């Protein structure tokens, strides 16, 4: 089979960085057409910079990187420096990128790419707030039917929220954008906290990254060393969850994951539950399914894949 054509929409973030590295290390399965940056974990200036840092770390400087939306559709930007550090990639010391941003806006790149490729051949992989994707869908609704699939990290059901009691960060930052995407009709796969909290970087798994004795292996180990301090303190877990690489791993080995095809709606009205992914896991409504909501992962298989692929870079 030909590699899957994807656009990675991202707000790096240490776990975003690992997701991008996994994609760039897997050309047999994945063709990265471009990377689009969005404001999220840190402001846009830093996410666009961090995406290029990751491409250079991987030695893949031919990948175009575009800057996108610098704020949510209807509300002020909320960021997560308390998790990711002031740069978004705190942990390793990585040089500033030499590669330039590609001219043009991320939203225009998404639109143009979907129009110039055959319908049903480009998959969108959002790893952060859905502002760029929703803006593209609003601006040119004709592209919606051209999307093969959306595979995103965001939301939660059983794990409730990580930024508020009921909301996961990516959805909470721009719930109006998430609402547009989930109502778009595009086949959608969701990697919520319910599954990503099962992808924990234990000491043994992080030692495996470090044992690669490469720049990439060392950088990933140092990123997760930094990243895990927050989750260990908050959840009492044995390591940091690698949220975003679940998206990339699903493209390569979907059999590592399982879930249910259910209805998911986004709360955009209540300040108490703003950004909640209201997931009808038990099928108690008559609302039609609109997403494959992933609930479980073969964590050992996931980390075996990740370590094997990172070793290539």
């Amino acid at each position: 089979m030909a590699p899957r054509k994807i656009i990675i929409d991202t707000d790096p973030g240490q776990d975003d960085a690992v997701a991008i590295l996994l994609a760039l290390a897997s050309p047999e399965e994945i063709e990265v057409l471009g990377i689009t940056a969005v404001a999220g974990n840190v402001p846009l200036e830093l996410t666009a910079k961090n995406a290029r840092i990751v491409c250079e770390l991987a030695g893949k400087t031919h990948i175009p990187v575009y800057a996108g939306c610098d704020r949510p559709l209807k509300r002020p930007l909320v960021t997560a420096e308390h998790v990711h550090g002031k740069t978004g990639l705190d942990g390793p010391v990585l040089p500033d990128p030499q590669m330039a941003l590609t001219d043009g806006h991320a939203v225009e790149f998404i639109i143009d790419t979907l129009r110039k490729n055959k319908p049903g051949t480009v998959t969108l992989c959002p790893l952060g707030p859905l502002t760029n994707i929703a803006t593209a869908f609003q601006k040119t609704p004709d592209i919606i039917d051209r999307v093969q699939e959306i595979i995103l990290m965001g939301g939660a059901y059983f794990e409730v929220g990580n930024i508020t009691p009921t909301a996961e960060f990516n959805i909470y930052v721009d719930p109006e954008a998430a609402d547009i995407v989930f109502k778009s009709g595009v086949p959608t796969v969701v990697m919520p906290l319910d599954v990503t909290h099962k992808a924990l970087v234990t000491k043994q798994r992080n030692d495996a990254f470090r044992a690669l004795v490469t720049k990439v292996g060392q950088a990933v180990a140092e990123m997760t060393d930094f990243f895990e301090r927050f989750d260990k303190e908050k959840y009492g877990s044995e390591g940091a969850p690698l949220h975003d690489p679940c998206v990339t791993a699903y493209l390569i080995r979907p059999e590592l994951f399982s879930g249910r095809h259910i209805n998911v709606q986004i709360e955009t009205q209540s300040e108490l539950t703003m950004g909640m992914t209201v997931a009808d896991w038990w099928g108690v409504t008559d609302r039609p399914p609109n997403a494959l909501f992933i609930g479980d992962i073969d964590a050992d298989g996931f980390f075996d894949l990740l370590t094997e692929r990172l070793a290539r870079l």
Side-chain angles (χ1 to χ4, degrees), residues 156-295:
Y157 182 61
F158 295 100
E159 287 286 300
V160 291
N162 65 352
I163 187 69
T164 75
T166 59
E168 179 275 331
F169 177 81
N170 287 344
I171 306 299
Y172 177 78
V173 169
D174 199 342
E176 286 80 12
D179 187 49
I180 290 166
V181 171
F182 275 84
K183 287 178 177 174
S184 69
V186 176
T188 299
V189 180
V190 182
M191 295 290 167
L193 300 181
D194 304 284
V195 68
T196 66
H197 278 177
K198 297 174 183 175
L200 294 177
V201 186
T202 61
K203 182 180 185 304
Q204 181 180 9
R205 289 166 176 165
N206 212 26
D207 286 347
F209 296 150
R210 198 171 268 106
L212 296 175
V213 196
T214 62
K215 277 198 309 183
V216 167
Q218 185 67 27
V220 169
E222 291 176 4
M223 284 182 202
T224 53
D225 277 342
F226 178 88
F227 189 45
E228 74 177 4
R229 88 214 183 285
F230 176 79
D231 291 277
K232 279 185 169 181
E233 182 178 333
K234 180 176 180 180
Y235 297 110
S237 59
E238 55 180 336
L242 276 184
H243 307 285
D244 295 330
C246 290
V247 168
T248 319
Y250 182 84
L251 287 163
I252 302 167
R253 300 255 173 88
E255 66 274 11
L256 294 173
F257 300 87
S258 61
R260 294 185 186 180
H261 198 222
I262 63 171
N263 182 270
V264 181
Q265 295 198 18
I266 310 300
E267 178 56 64
T268 61
Q269 300 300 317
S270 165
E271 287 303 321
L272 185 64
T273 56
M274 183 64 68
M276 182 179 182
T277 40
V278 182
D280 187 11
W281 185 261
W282 302 114
V284 296
T285 74
D286 59 1
R287 295 193 288 264
N290 62 345
L292 176 60
F293 202 78
I294 301 297

Side-chain angles (χ1 to χ4, degrees), residues 61-126:
T61 55
H62 63 286
I63 304 292
V65 177
Y66 294 84
C69 298
D70 65 356
R71 69 196 68 178
L73 295 182
K74 293 185 176 180
R75 57 188 66 235
L77 176 65
V78 175
T79 55
E81 286 89 349
H82 63 290
V83 179
H84 299 279
K86 67 182 188 300
T87 70
L89 289 182
D90 280 21
V93 177
L94 297 169
D96 286 346
Q98 298 303 302
M99 63 185 285
L101 279 170
T102 306
D103 289 340
H105 195 280
V107 169
E108 296 302 328
F109 170 72
I110 292 167
I111 293 167
D112 293 345
T113 302
L114 286 166
R115 282 181 168 165
K116 77 181 182 186
N117 283 274
K118 290 181 180 177
T121 62
V122 175
T123 293
L124 304 178
C125 296

